Amino acid sequence: MNEFLTNMAGVVAAATPVVVAVIGETFSERSGVINLSANGLIVLAAMVGFAAAYTTGMVWVGLLAGFVTGAAAGLLISFSSISLKQSQVAVGFILSLLFRDLAYFLGTPFMVLPGPTVNRFAIPLLKDIPILGPLFFDQNVLVYFSYVLIAMSYYWIFHTRQGLILRGVGEQPISAYSRGIDVNRQRYLYTALGSGLIGLAGPMYSLSIKAGWNGTMTGLDGIGWIVLSITIFGGWNPLRGSFGAYLFVFLQWLGLALQSYWTSVPSQVLQVAPFPLMILTLLFVNIGDTEWVTRMMARLPRGVRGGFYKLFRFLRKPPPASLGVPFERE
Amino acid sequence: MRKNRGFINFLFRISGILAALLFTALVLVIAKANPWEAFGNILMGAVSTPIKIADSFVAWVPLILATCGLVITFTTGLWNIGIEGQISLGAIMTTWALRLLQDSGLPPVVIILAGILAGMAGGIIWALLAGVLKFYGGVSEIFAGLGLNFIATALTLWLIFGPWKRAGVASMSGTEPFDMSIWLPTIPGYRLSVWSLALAVASVLIVYFLLQHTVIGLRLKAVGKNYKAAIQMGISPSKYMLLAFVLCGLFAGLTGAVQVLGVYHRLIPSISSGYGFLGLLVAMLVDYQIVWAVPVALLFAALNIGGIQLPIMMKIDSTLSGVMQSALVLFFMLMDGVRKKMLKKEEDLSDE
């Protein structure tokens, strides 16, 4: 039991950067801008963050450098898509490759060096709560930050006027505009903030969970793509998205744990188990919307149909209506 | 006036290239390396000897084959990010066919042909999976493709370390190499095979003809240009998009087959070598025009080959080629955006 608790505390810690990046992507996409560069960005920010912390010897400088890297990337994406009207998917994809190669190229001098890491800090009193204490409150500051971020971002998006504006800008920019809101300014702001959070996930790895910079062996390539799909799974809601992040990392851990019991299954198969799961979840989330399902449902008896509708509505959360669409005043 | 505009467009393209070079030079300065030396080394690494030039063509073949497929999916407006996995599956199926037939006593030509066909089938299966997920499952082709890429990589690793393990100890160097009789014959002294080159050229011609001179090509374009109008014309977009997936999978599978038959002669862990993603960059840079993809793919291939020497000559990482390639596409797109914005402003002014 104790060992299991320790493992689960590890899952909570390992999920933290994913949670933060998913919330970042959620902010950006809620405003209507998709940041497809997340995969390369996390790798680059991890390298930059590590380099900054290593050079200065201060962890917070590294974290800040990661955030700034992300925010700068966000500004570049907003500039190219909002001001220059280029495809967000195209620019995001190019940047994803560019950032990754940049990280590997510029990171060479920082390979396998011992660098500073974020210290563990158990919260007094809270840490003594049975089960929950060791699970959630015997972690490092970054993990606590993620709890605050989850709660605050949820409150911000769904319970404040600012959040209402944010959602309006992503759903119906023309109505937001007619009420005197500067749509593009909002998009610039939230893309910079959101991408900054995605960038912050980088040093959260290189200064904590996967401490150090090991070039291509750092093992961060792929996480950004997971972040993008969890954002969809999360229905652009920080609570559901964070749940998705914890679930994903838990399944990853489960895959590794099963390996020792289940030696006949090669390790490579279990390591990619999250990816078929990711496809399956996206399938469950979206299948209710497809033409053939709608047609099949129409043939079902009324009572059964109602149940299915409810199920699909629960699973399916439509994306912000203006996601990826540049805003034109005319 | 018209001629003037053409000149302005040309200037913007050149400035995009210059900006990319400047950016790369800046990156090199940050890495404390001499940009001139690096550019010179890349150039020499790609063209200084006939062997290096031939090597650039060895890299050009898979790149242009992948681009051939991607031009078709892009034409219908699809983002086939799953191409990497489709290449891997092609390579896996080719390896499977060769392993099955290598001791059968069939003439080598038959075995090679069977390998190519199996590779194409592999690419098509993987592409269809993404297509079916999109049209019958509502999963965006970007995410379905990405997931399938990771699964294909895992499948490759599993085969190399499991069922197709090399006699003795399994290793990252791949499966047991095939007998020389079933390799695509190369020019003596070079790694380049005339047959793979011919396959690549034929593919370019086929895709050009398909898109420019056939009804199918016209309909594929209609689906990409105006989805709703296509439906009005009685074209089923999902049917043609699925067709685009199948065609792209075919070329991706062929890419994998050529890498196994002509370059590595076995299955290796990173058999797609990133040519799929690089093909996406090429296709974007040439605005999905296959004719232009031919020289641009050659340039990108030369950059790849030219970069190999960098770690030895200057102790800098060879990913510099990747930085240059993506910077080129990025600045090209940015400059294109600036150009359109300026043209629009000009039109607005002349309207007033």
Side-chain angles (χ1 to χ4, degrees), chain A residues 80 83-84 86 89-90 93-94 98 101 105 222 225 228 232 266 268 272 275 278-279 282-283 286-287 290 292, chain B residues 27 79 133 136-139 143 146 150 154 157-158 277 280 284 317 319-320 322-323 326 329 333-334 336-337 341:
Chain A
S80 62
S83 301
L84 296 181
Q86 295 293 358
V89 175
F93 180 75
I94 298 165
L98 179 64
D101 285 342
F105 182 73
W225 298 121
L228 282 158
I232 300 177
Q268 295 86 9
V272 290
F275 292 97
M278 168 191 109
I279 297 178
L282 291 183
L283 190 66
N286 290 312
I287 201 163
T290 55
W292 70 276
Chain B
V27 170
W79 266 85
L133 276 167
Y136 298 100
V139 182
F143 294 104
L146 280 169
F150 284 106
L157 283 171
W158 175 63
F277 281 172
L280 281 163
M284 279 189 258
D317 204 85
T319 41
L320 182 71
V323 173
S326 29
V329 189
M333 289 206 102
L334 291 182
D336 186 55
K341 207 178 165 85

Side-chain angles (χ1 to χ4, degrees), chain B residues 49 107 210 219 252 270 299:
Chain B
T49 65
L210 175 83
R219 291 189 173 162
S270 55
L299 171 73

Side-chain angles (χ1 to χ4, degrees), chain A residues 294-312:
Chain A
T294 326
R295 232 182 301 135
M296 292 260 293
M297 296 243 297
R299 290 206 209 117
L300 291 172
R302 189 167 271 244
V304 187
R305 200 164 45 186
F308 271 109
Y309 275 134
K310 263 185 209 142
L311 176 70
F312 285 137

Side-chain angles (χ1 to χ4, degrees), chain A residues 87-111:
Chain A
S87 150
Q88 286 171 10
V89 175
V91 172
F93 180 75
I94 298 165
L95 285 179
S96 171
L97 296 185
L98 179 64
F99 289 158
R100 193 192 57 188
D101 285 342
L102 263 184
Y104 295 149
F105 182 73
L106 291 174
T108 325
F110 300 98
M111 294 267 276

Side-chain angles (χ1 to χ4, degrees), chain B:
Chain B
M1 188 67 199
R2 186 108 208 117
K3 203 171 179 185
N4 199 8
R5 181 144 299 173
F7 182 67
I8 289 173
N9 289 354
F10 176 74
L11 273 188
F12 270 104
R13 296 221 162 107
I14 293 288
S15 59
I17 295 172
L18 284 179
L21 283 176
L22 215 65
F23 173 81
T24 318
L26 189 72
V27 170
L28 279 159
V29 169
I30 293 173
K32 298 192 183 69
N34 182 341
W36 286 118
E37 201 187 337
F39 291 149
N41 272 321
I42 289 181
L43 185 69
M44 293 314 278
V47 299
S48 61
T49 65
I51 290 189
K52 281 172 180 160
I53 295 176
D55 277 351
S56 296
F57 276 97
V58 172
W60 177 76
V61 169
L63 184 54
I64 194 70
L65 281 174
T67 313
C68 276
L70 289 165
V71 163
I72 301 176
T73 36
F74 270 127
T75 299
T76 58
L78 286 168
W79 266 85
N80 188 15
I81 286 191
I83 181 142
E84 288 275 319
Q86 292 150 23
I87 295 175
S88 302
L89 249 283
I92 288 173
M93 290 285 284
T94 303
T95 311
W96 173 74
L98 294 187
R99 288 176 67 90
L100 208 66
L101 298 173
Q102 59 182 351
D103 299 322
S104 63
L106 287 169
V109 189
V110 177
I111 300 178
I112 290 176
L113 275 177
I116 290 179
L117 287 178
M120 287 176 170
I124 291 174
I125 292 169
W126 221 238
L128 260 181
L129 258 176
V132 167
L133 276 167
K134 182 176 172 78
F135 295 110
Y136 298 100
V139 182
S140 143
E141 76 271 22
I142 295 181
F143 294 104
L146 280 169
L148 289 168
N149 285 350
F150 284 106
I151 297 169
T153 310
L155 194 61
T156 316
L157 283 171
W158 175 63
L159 286 168
I160 290 171
F161 286 89
W164 295 351
K165 193 159 54 182
R166 211 168 175 165
V169 67
S171 78
M172 289 301 274
S173 66
T175 57
E176 194 73 47
F178 294 112
D179 187 75
M180 268 188 76
S181 64
I182 50 173
W183 294 9
L184 280 178
T186 54
I187 306 168
Y190 296 92
R191 285 167 61 231
L192 182 64
S193 160
V194 182
W195 293 101
S196 8
L197 210 56
L199 274 173
V201 173
S203 302
V204 170
L205 293 175
I206 289 171
V207 171
Y208 178 77
F209 183 77
L210 175 83
L211 290 178
Q212 303 299 329
H213 296 290
T214 65
V215 180
I216 293 176
L218 192 68
R219 291 189 173 162
L220 288 170
K221 278 192 254 183
V223 169
K225 283 245 156 59
N226 198 331
Y227 199 88
K228 281 180 189 150
I231 298 174
Q232 296 277 314
M233 282 163 65
I235 300 169
S236 153
S238 49
K239 207 170 100 188
Y240 277 90
M241 283 181 170
L242 271 178
L243 176 69
F245 266 121
V246 169
L247 290 172
C248 187
L250 187 148
F251 286 111
L254 183 60
T255 313
V258 166
Q259 292 302 85
V260 170
L261 283 162
V263 180
Y264 297 109
H265 312 116
R266 60 180 190 272
L267 187 65
I268 61 164
S270 55
I271 190 80
S272 70
S273 321
Y275 283 121
F277 281 172
L278 203 55
L280 281 163
L281 288 186
V282 172
M284 279 189 258
L285 189 56
V286 299
D287 203 18
Y288 323 129
Q289 304 297 311
I290 188 68
V291 177
W292 284 102
V294 174
V296 171
L298 188 59
L299 171 73
F300 274 36
L303 282 175
N304 266 10
I305 300 298
I308 293 174
Q309 295 254 336
L310 288 178
I312 312 156
M313 309 284 284
M314 298 177 64
K315 298 215 169 3
I316 54 176
D317 204 85
S318 60
T319 41
L320 182 71
S321 311
V323 173
M324 274 184 94
Q325 287 156 346
S326 29
L328 261 177
V329 189
L330 177 70
F331 284 102
F332 213 73
M333 289 206 102
L334 291 182
M335 290 318 279
D336 186 55
V338 174
R339 181 182 65 88
K340 280 182 187 150
K341 207 178 165 85
M342 280 177 64
L343 285 184
K344 196 164 176 282
K345 216 172 251 172
E346 205 175 286
E347 274 163 24
D348 289 350
L349 278 178
S350 58
D351 280 351
E352 278 161 20

Side-chain angles (χ1 to χ4, degrees), chain A residues 48-66:
Chain A
V48 172
F50 178 78
Y54 178 81
T55 330
T56 59
M58 285 178 279
V59 174
W60 69 268
V61 178
L63 294 168
L64 185 71

Side-chain angles (χ1 to χ4, degrees), chain A residues 171-231:
Chain A
E171 296 287 346
Q172 285 270 2
I174 196 75
S175 328
Y177 176 72
S178 64
R179 285 170 193 223
I181 290 156
D182 187 342
V183 172
N184 288 342
R185 198 181 119 97
Q186 292 282 326
R187 288 188 171 172
Y188 262 102
L189 271 174
Y190 279 109
T191 311
L193 169 76
S195 304
L197 288 174
I198 300 174
L200 185 59
M204 284 179 138
Y205 281 110
S206 62
L207 298 176
S208 170
I209 297 145
K210 294 185 178 180
W213 174 253
N214 301 310
T216 44
M217 303 303 285
T218 316
L220 298 180
D221 199 354
I223 288 167
W225 298 121
I226 299 286
V227 166
L228 282 158
S229 18
I230 293 178
T231 308

